Amino acid sequence: MAVSYNKLWKLLVDKKMSKSDLRKKAEIAPNTMTRLRRDEEVSLSILSKICKTLNADFGDIVEYVPDAEIWDLYNENRELLGKDHVRGEQLPIDGYHMVVHVWIRNSKGEYLISQRSANRPTYPLMWECVGGSVVKGEDSLSGAIREAKEEVGVDLAPGKGRVLFTKTRKIIDGKIYNDIMDVWLFEYDGEVDLGNAETDEVAQAAWMKREQIEELFEQKLFVDTLEYFFTEVDRQLPLEAKQ
């Protein structure tokens, strides 16, 4: 469960009151205001002070968001802003979240590719690599390893992966992305059993060579934003592994 004080900030705007004004009138400590700004839980006595000051009820200032995914926000230089973001809400113009693309390759030069489930809101039944958003408190490596376990049920070794490149994306085709994308490559020769996956995001997974992935692209069955695979990922493969 995640807590959100968006209602409180909107109420302050309606009452033409600043956060500083609220802190002084409700006699709230600066560190408590920081917790409120970060959407962290505070005591009922603090909430009661705020309600009394604003002549409001609890429901007017705070709400719980069940099963919300929380992201850390960064600036363009990959520096933490000390702010949280709830997935699904509009990203601030100057705030970026971190995402990972995880390409998994075996010693035969094949890549573990997964097909998105039919119930996915975007690109249903399309093929792709493992990937997703890094959640609050994680670093890029931890996020990559977690996504692999959740989506395809494999346990990647931290020492077997490396970042191929990083890209900061702001606007793509008129849509605000505001993300910092790390593209990972992991070496893995273990078993793949979707029964070990922790989500139902993937319909099936398969090891594929470059030629098979190219066929999926040509048939428009592969997520098009991953076309960089052919120039930025597969070129990293040692020559002897391609033969």
Side-chain angles (χ1 to χ4, degrees), residues 32-48:
T32 301
M33 286 300 297
T34 298
R35 292 182 64 84
L36 291 169
R37 286 196 295 271
R38 293 179 177 176
D39 282 338
E40 298 176 356
E41 293 187 28
V42 298
S43 68
L44 286 176
S45 62
I46 296 298
L47 296 179
S48 296

Side-chain angles (χ1 to χ4, degrees), residues 37-225:
R37 286 196 295 271
R38 293 179 177 176
D39 282 338
E40 298 176 356
E41 293 187 28
V42 298
S43 68
L44 286 176
S45 62
I46 296 298
L47 296 179
S48 296
K49 283 184 178 182
I50 295 174
C51 287
K52 184 176 180 179
T53 300
L54 299 177
N55 190 27
D57 294 323
F58 284 147
D60 296 326
I61 65 171
V62 62
E63 62 180 335
Y64 279 97
V65 184
D67 302 322
E69 183 173 299
I70 308 298
W71 300 335
D72 284 315
L73 287 182
Y74 302 78
N75 62 21
E76 287 185 275
N77 297 318
R78 205 184 178 103
E79 298 168 333
L80 280 168
L81 296 178
K83 298 178 181 179
D84 295 345
H85 182 80
V86 178
R87 179 173 186 166
E89 296 184 358
Q90 178 66 49
L91 282 160
I93 193 66
D94 59 347
Y96 294 75
H97 72 107
M98 189 176 297
V99 300
V100 290
H101 289 182
V102 186
W103 296 90
I104 303 170
R105 185 178 69 197
N106 64 21
S107 57
K108 298 177 182 179
E110 299 169 325
Y111 295 86
L112 184 60
I113 306 302
S114 57
Q115 184 184 38
R116 296 168 67 88
S117 296
N119 61 3
R120 299 293 295 276
T122 58
Y123 300 109
L125 298 178
M126 298 283 281
W127 291 82
E128 63 177 358
C129 65
V130 166
S133 297
V134 175
V135 299
K136 178 179 172 61
E138 285 185 333
D139 58 16
S140 178
L141 175 59
S142 299
I145 291 174
R146 174 185 51 77
E147 287 289 346
K149 180 64 174 180
E150 287 183 353
E151 293 187 10
V152 292
V154 302
D155 295 304
L156 298 177
K160 293 290 186 176
R162 68 182 189 276
V163 175
L164 298 181
F165 68 92
T166 296
K167 184 176 182 180
T168 299
R169 305 184 297 181
K170 190 168 184 64
I171 298 177
I172 300 177
D173 295 330
K175 178 182 178 182
I176 297 178
Y177 269 64
N178 276 31
D179 65 26
I180 300 170
M181 179 182 74
D182 282 348
V183 177
W184 286 86
L185 176 64
F186 279 84
E187 304 293 341
Y188 178 79
D189 280 307
E191 296 293 324
V192 178
D193 182 356
L194 287 185
N196 295 325
E198 299 175 353
T199 69
D200 63 351
E201 298 178 31
V202 172
Q204 60 177 316
W207 290 105
M208 295 187 186
K209 290 187 175 293
R210 178 190 177 102
E211 294 75 17
Q212 294 170 290
I213 297 174
E214 283 181 319
E215 288 180 9
L216 289 175
F217 261 104
E218 292 171 0
Q219 297 170 17
K220 300 188 183 303
L221 296 176
F222 210 93
V223 175
D224 55 6
T225 56

